[in-house]
């Protein structure tokens, strides 16, 4: 690259993001449990809505997303004027970094946090700062130890990925209360719906100017292929984000599908019930096999082996059985595999394969 075409500082320090694998060589239809997708797919109402929206593909979508924001607000009891919709929650998280951080500023997250947090910081020209966790859990005191006058954003995934562990509201409130005014606390709630009794931080956002929460339609709602997410924040923050958001960032098809998914609460309850039951089966089965795992509040379980060699051997054994899970060395867990919670037959296949692996070693 010539000097004249040099990228902005920080961009060339970004490693390309690697998603979960979707293919196994020699396997025509592997069981994919590597990306935390909903094994039940999307609501049938989504198919109807998307098909209808496809009839007018020659028309531009709305720019204000009012129907989707209204649906979200009605379901969650929120102010629709404090909601922003994005291309997945990733876009909202990116806009926050671009709007509120820059050169000389710091973006703080925890050592096992979502890999894109570092990318968001570097994309904005800010400095990424990592706080250690304790026993695979976010430690509020260690986070606060890393807050400086330069800290502008703190990204917290709750429940966390890839551990599945979560902070309760008391700890989140303690964290929010201790932060200086110039620092935005961003609660990334990609898996919030799976954490029973958790509002994703909505009460904190309603009460404070410097707390933001985000959600996605990619996990519980099964719309990873449509790429829709949203955020909830003070009107000031939403106004700032809307000034840099692309006016047509969401397609008409995506908007229609997400609205239908949000309003089909019966399907949502079915998915949550299935996840809770099968997560308990998977967790209990792993422990019976002597494979350690924490209590997960998400739609996946982090299975921990003796060391990296055993984790890789288990991964290879699962692949030989036609099962894809996620190696998470890049998240600081070389000895672990992240396993998405599937349907009953899926969980049985995983446990049977790992039992076979145990017998062969």
């Amino acid at each position: 690259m010539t000097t004249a075409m040099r990228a902005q500082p920080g961009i060339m320090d970004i490693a390309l993001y690697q998603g979960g694998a979707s293919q196994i060589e020699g396997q025509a239809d592997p069981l994919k449990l590597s990306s935390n997708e909903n094994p039940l797919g999307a609501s049938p109402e989504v198919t109807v809505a998307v098909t209808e929206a496809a009839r007018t593909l020659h028309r531009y979508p709305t720019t204000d997303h009012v129907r989707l924001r209204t649906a979200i607000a009605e379901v969650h009891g929120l102010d629709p004027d404090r909601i922003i919709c994005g291309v997945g929650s990733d876009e909202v998280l990116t806009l926050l970094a671009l709007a509120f951080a820059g050169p000389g500023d710091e973006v703080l997250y925890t050592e096992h946090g979502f890999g894109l947090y570092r990318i968001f910081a570097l994309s904005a020209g800010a400095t990424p700062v990592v706080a250690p966790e304790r026993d695979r859990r976010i430690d509020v005191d260690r986070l606060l130890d890393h807050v400086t006058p330069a800290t502008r954003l703190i990204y917290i995934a709750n429940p966390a990925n890839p551990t599945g562990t979560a902070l309760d509201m008391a700890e989140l409130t303690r964290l929010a209360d201790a932060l200086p005014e110039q620092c935005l606390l961003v609660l990334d709630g990609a898996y919030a719906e799976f954490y029973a009794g958790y509002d994703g931080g909505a009460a904190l956002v309603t009460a404070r100017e410097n707390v933001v929460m985000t959600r996605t339609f990619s996990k519980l709602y099964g719309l990873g292929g449509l790429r829709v997410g949203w955020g909830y924040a003070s009107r000031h923050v939403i106004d700032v984000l809307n000034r840099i958001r692309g006016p047509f960032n969401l397609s008409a098809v995506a908007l229609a599908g997400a609205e239908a998914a949000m309003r089909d609460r019966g399907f949502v309850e079915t998915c949550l019930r299935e996840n809770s039951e099968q997560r308990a089966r998977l967790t209990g089965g792993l422990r019976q096999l002597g494979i350690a795992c924490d209590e997960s509040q998400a739609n996946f379980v982090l299975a921990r082996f003796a060391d990296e060699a055993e984790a890789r051997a288990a991964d290879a054994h699962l692949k030989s059985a036609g099962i894809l899970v996620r190696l998470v060395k890049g998240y600081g867990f070389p000895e672990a595999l992240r396993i998405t919670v599937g349907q009953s037959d899926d969980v049985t296949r995983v446990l049977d394969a790992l039992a076979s692996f145990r017998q062969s070693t």
Side-chain angles (χ1 to χ4, degrees):
M1 182 179 293
T2 67
T3 302
M5 295 172 59
R6 185 170 55 230
Q8 290 294 316
I11 291 179
M12 297 311 295
D13 294 326
I14 297 172
L16 294 177
Y17 180 79
Q18 299 293 323
S22 59
Q23 296 180 338
I24 301 175
E25 187 175 352
Q27 299 272 359
D29 187 24
L31 172 59
K32 187 185 178 191
L33 300 175
S34 58
S35 297
N36 301 337
E37 296 155 329
N38 187 338
L40 300 181
S43 160
E45 296 296 324
V46 171
T47 302
V48 175
V50 165
T51 301
E52 182 61 29
R55 299 179 189 277
T56 55
L57 292 181
H58 59 297
R59 303 296 186 192
Y60 278 98
T62 63
T63 62
D64 60 9
H65 309 152
V66 65
R67 287 176 59 100
L68 179 54
R69 289 190 294 107
T70 298
I72 294 168
E74 289 177 356
V75 167
H76 292 287
L78 305 176
D79 179 354
D81 291 333
R82 296 176 61 175
I83 294 172
I84 184 172
C85 299
V87 183
S89 54
D90 296 354
E91 183 183 29
V92 181
L93 295 169
T94 301
L95 292 176
L96 285 163
L98 294 176
F100 293 101
D105 296 329
E106 295 175 351
V107 174
L108 178 61
Y109 53 93
T110 62
E111 64 176 310
H112 303 301
F114 185 32
L116 286 181
Y117 297 155
R118 170 180 166 82
I119 293 176
F120 299 152
L122 293 172
S123 296
T127 301
V129 177
V130 181
E133 296 183 11
R134 189 188 302 274
D135 298 327
R136 300 166 305 282
R137 295 178 183 274
I138 293 171
D139 187 305
V140 169
D141 293 315
R142 291 184 178 187
L143 263 174
L144 292 173
D145 286 343
H146 286 73
V147 174
T148 74
T151 306
R152 292 294 177 268
L153 289 169
I154 300 179
Y155 287 114
I156 296 294
N158 200 52
N161 175 22
T163 62
T165 58
L167 292 178
D168 61 24
M169 281 305 300
E171 283 293 273
L172 285 176
T173 302
R174 185 166 74 88
L175 174 59
D177 286 344
L179 295 178
E181 291 183 358
Q182 89 280 356
C183 181
L184 271 179
L185 174 60
V186 182
L187 303 176
D188 177 355
Y191 301 95
E193 292 92 347
F194 300 104
Y195 184 10
Y198 178 51
D199 70 355
L204 285 176
V205 177
T206 299
R208 292 168 171 78
E209 291 284 315
N210 66 333
V211 182
V212 180
M213 78 174 202
T214 64
R215 298 280 192 96
T216 184
F217 282 88
S218 297
K219 306 303 181 184
L220 173 62
Y221 294 96
L223 302 186
L226 284 186
R227 308 304 302 126
V228 187
W230 56 281
Y232 185 58
S234 70
R235 293 194 180 196
H236 166 68
V237 169
I238 295 300
D239 177 61
V240 171
L241 299 184
N242 276 325
R243 291 172 185 272
I244 58 174
R245 172 181 64 84
F248 300 109
N249 59 330
L250 287 174
S251 71
V253 170
L255 288 166
E259 181 186 351
M262 178 58 62
R263 292 197 180 280
D264 189 351
R265 304 318 293 174
F267 183 78
V268 166
E269 291 305 317
T270 296
C271 294
L272 289 174
R273 183 168 55 251
E274 176 81 357
N275 180 77
S276 179
E277 292 173 357
Q278 299 310 318
R279 182 177 63 193
R281 278 191 65 219
L282 179 58
T283 300
L286 289 171
R287 289 172 177 168
Q288 286 181 358
L289 293 171
I291 301 171
C293 56
D294 297 310
E295 206 64 39
S296 173
Q297 304 297 338
N299 68 338
F300 56 84
V301 172
L302 186 70
R304 306 194 315 276
F305 296 83
D307 51 33
E308 181 177 357
E310 187 181 33
R312 289 191 172 277
D315 181 58
H317 190 87
L318 287 167
K319 281 189 172 72
S320 71
I323 302 170
L324 279 168
V325 298
R326 184 76 179 265
L327 287 162
V328 284
K329 182 177 181 178
Y331 283 89
F333 295 109
E335 78 287 2
L337 300 176
R338 192 190 67 189
I339 306 172
T340 301
V341 176
Q343 297 185 71
S344 179
D345 288 349
D346 303 335
V347 172
T348 298
R349 279 185 63 182
V350 170
L351 293 176
D352 286 349
L354 287 174
S356 171
F357 170 70
R358 278 290 195 232
Q359 293 168 4
S360 66
T361 57

